[in-house]
Amino acid sequence: MKPRKHALVTGGSRGIGAAAVIALANEGFAVTFFYRKNAYLADQVVAQVRRLGRDAMAYAVDVSDFSAVSHAVKQSMLEFGAVDLLVSNAGVSDISLFTDVTPEAFNKMIDTHLVGLFNVSQAVLPGMISRKTGNIVTISSIWGMTGASCEVTYSMTKAGIIGYTKALAQELGPSGIRVNCVAPGLIDTEMNSGLTVKDLQEICDQTPLGRMGTAQEVADVIVYLASEKSSFITGQVISPNGGLIT
Ligand code: NDP
């Protein structure tokens, strides 16, 4: 029997993160996930994984808090061993004119998307480098590739995640560590609950496949990048987006 691997997923209490937690558990990973505040949802995801006969643990950890991240990663390794796979998924959206973005809202975007990615990476990488094996999957967005009006701070931080992915893949390839990015198009999750039906329909109309994607469809790409089937892929951006950009 193959030894069980340990995956760490940030933002695993709902949406794409929750689908990734369940999909990775189904693939045999023991999964640790972080969420920020919704313990009820997190408990439901853990229960769903345990019903599959797999293991998961949830920690209420804000990814922007370096010491909380570092402490929780150490705790999780006592239970599930060294982290083999990091899925850096936690994210927030902010739809505003750029001139209306407050410094506080800007800092939240940077803290969640970029500081958070730095923090979780710093917590898992020393172990991966010393073991000369590891896998990181980052979650950007189609808007990090094209830019989106009224989502300038979201687009700029999501573009930063792509820069991280490409640079770190080069730095860590010789250490046996792969780093790839998933940049989804419009996905049917809570994150888009602030968009009007008209806004959603407009994006679907521009999408060749004519609909939003599902969290499961993004989780399927994450599982592929987490698997040995993608063993020669690193530094790449894969965009499940229904053909919205090609
Ligand atoms: P959701 O809003 O449904 O879920 C976000 C998750 O991130 C929640 O579990 C939330 O926990 C967690 N989270 C947010 N901030 C923090 C933080 N500071 N520390 C720890 N956890 C945090 O989002 P989606 O599932 O839609 O999105 C997941 C990722 O995919 C994001 O990075 C997003 O930008 C990206 N994406 C989404 C798209 C979409 O159309 N939905 C399209 C392209 C990219 P809690 O609820 O407890 O705060």
Side-chain angles (χ1 to χ4, degrees), residues 11-17 34-38 61-64 89-92 112-113 139-142 154 158 184-187 189-192:
S13 58
R14 65 181 201 207
I16 292 167
F34 294 166
Y35 65 99
R36 196 176 31 167
K37 52 181 191 231
N38 198 328
V61 171
D62 187 325
V63 289
S64 65
N89 161 81
V92 287
T112 310
H113 294 153
I139 308 298
S140 173
S141 161
I142 192 173
Y154 183 82
K158 290 295 186 180
L186 187 67
I187 305 300
T189 69
E190 272 294 304
M191 181 169 274
N192 292 317

